[in-house]
Amino acid sequence: MNKIQTVGVIGAGTMGNGIAQACAVSGLQVVMVDINEAAVQKGLATVAASLDRLLKKEKITAADKDATLARISVSTDYAALTNAQLVIEAATENLELKIKILRQLDGMLPADTLVATNTSSIGITQLAAVTGRPDRFIGMHFFNPVPMMALVEIIRGLQTSDATHAAVHAMALTLGKTPITVKNAPGFVVNRILVPMINEAFFVLAEGLATAEDIDAGMKLGCNHPIGPLALADLVGLDVCLAVMNVYMAEFNDGKYRPCPLLKEMVAAGYLGRKTGRGVYSY
Ligand SMILES: NC(=O)c1ccc[n+]([C@@H]2O[C@H](COP(=O)([O-])OP(=O)(O)OC[C@H]3O[C@@H](n4cnc5c(N)ncnc54)[C@H](O)[C@@H]3O)[C@@H](O)[C@H]2O)c1
């Protein structure tokens, strides 16, 4: 298998531009693709602004910034991805869209190109099955903001080969990340534990056991979490938390994943968190 020197990134949004930046900072060549010129330019501007902040904090030099940006090229044409040894799909979270993108890639990428997806909620085994390269397909679940967060969950579908896993694991180390290897299952590892914890915090709040402030203070000070679960729910979006619980409930068919009625009620009211100015807290 060829060493990964050029990475293709599909989607220039929150995660795509973060992945592009992390790769370019580590010396890899990057081709970032999105659906239109405005989207790729916005992604590129986000990377430049992020590098500017690092420059201001004297974490990188002006020469580092220029060299990093020079390693990222952008396109609205998937044909630009054909020189990549690994293509990471980080487009909008939508099953039909991802299937369409993966089929499109199959037709144009060389047979030995590895393809990864950054999906948070779609099964890796299921996506691998729609590609013509199921053994060369894998999950690479980065965390937001990608340049800052050390973790990458590497998710093996049932079909993923050892060689694909080894190449992607090595590539994550090249990025200075700490990879953990996970078998495919809803929520992988981190969200499987995190989101039910947030859901439980809503049960504790609904039962009136403590105020929201005290629940969050308890988890921050008692567990050394940097943010309380309810404040985190506001940050993630209550609708996103509810959607994840609904997936676990449907997939595992186990009552321990029952979404908290208060969480459902707040989502129904449009209290989605920071993005709507009101969630558990007001902003
Ligand atoms: N945001 C997070 O915290 C987070 C964390 C981990 C994983 N993820 C996953 O990462 C993926 C991307 O999420 P995001 O938050 O960056 O979304 P986003 O909305 O910020 O960006 C998605 C980008 O994909 C582009 N896109 C849509 N269709 C495309 C196509 N056919 N070809 C190329 N680009 C296309 C959109 O134009 C947009 O720029 C999703 O699968 C999501 O589940 C998100």
Side-chain angles (χ1 to χ4, degrees):
M1 196 166 288
N2 295 335
K3 190 170 165 13
I4 296 169
Q5 285 167 326
T6 301
V7 177
V9 179
I10 299 184
T14 308
M15 297 306 288
N17 72 58
I19 294 166
Q21 179 178 333
C23 291
V25 163
S26 306
L28 300 172
Q29 297 292 326
V30 179
V31 183
M32 181 167 69
V33 172
D34 207 305
I35 44 178
N36 56 46
E37 195 55 30
V40 290
Q41 289 307 329
K42 191 170 163 214
L44 208 48
T46 304
V47 175
S50 170
L51 293 172
D52 274 336
R53 284 194 296 277
L54 293 173
L55 181 58
K56 233 180 187 166
K57 289 187 199 154
E58 295 181 358
K59 297 223 160 114
I60 60 170
T61 65
D64 292 335
K65 180 194 157 188
D66 292 345
T68 299
L69 285 175
R71 282 192 282 271
I72 304 178
S73 64
V74 296
S75 179
T76 55
D77 184 353
Y78 283 14
L81 299 166
T82 48
N83 289 330
Q85 291 81 40
L86 168 70
V87 173
I88 304 174
E89 178 279 311
T92 314
E93 187 78 343
N94 174 293
L95 177 61
E96 285 71 38
L97 175 71
K98 291 198 192 282
I99 290 175
K100 195 183 108 194
I101 291 172
L102 294 176
R103 292 208 167 121
Q104 209 172 330
L105 287 178
D106 258 342
M108 52 202 328
L109 296 181
D112 60 353
T113 307
L114 305 180
V115 177
T117 175
N118 186 46
T119 182
S120 298
S121 68
I122 302 170
I124 305 306
T125 298
Q126 178 186 8
L127 288 177
V130 306
T131 75
R133 60 187 81 226
D135 56 317
R136 281 148 285 153
F137 186 82
I138 198 160
M140 265 191 116
H141 189 226
F142 289 88
F143 287 73
N144 184 20
V146 180
M148 311 301 297
M149 299 293 278
L151 181 68
V152 184
E153 286 182 307
I154 297 182
I155 304 104
R156 297 188 69 147
L158 203 56
Q159 313 94 320
T160 307
S161 71
D162 290 343
T164 300
H165 172 260
V168 167
H169 190 273
M171 185 271 188
L173 292 175
T174 304
L175 301 187
K177 303 294 183 199
T178 302
I180 64 168
T181 298
V182 183
K183 283 184 195 154
N184 181 50
F188 313 135
V189 163
V190 173
N191 287 336
R192 168 84 173 271
I193 296 170
L194 179 68
V195 184
M197 181 194 73
I198 291 173
N199 190 52
E200 197 62 26
F202 278 91
F203 274 113
V204 169
L205 181 67
E207 288 168 26
L209 304 185
T211 62
E213 289 80 1
D214 279 359
I215 292 167
D216 279 348
M219 293 306 288
K220 279 165 71 176
L221 302 177
C223 299
N224 221 6
H225 289 187
I227 182 170
L230 297 170
L232 183 58
D234 279 357
L235 204 62
V236 171
L238 272 62
D239 53 334
V240 175
C241 295
L242 176 60
V244 172
M245 290 307 296
N246 282 332
V247 168
Y248 295 169
M249 195 63 205
E251 294 280 329
F252 295 112
N253 194 20
D254 184 333
K256 74 178 178 180
Y257 298 110
R258 179 170 71 102
C260 175
L262 174 62
L263 176 62
K264 289 165 81 172
E265 191 75 0
M266 290 179 72
V267 170
Y271 301 163
L272 306 184
R274 284 180 181 264
K275 63 187 170 190
T276 58
R278 179 167 178 182
V280 176
Y281 303 100
S282 292
Y283 300 92

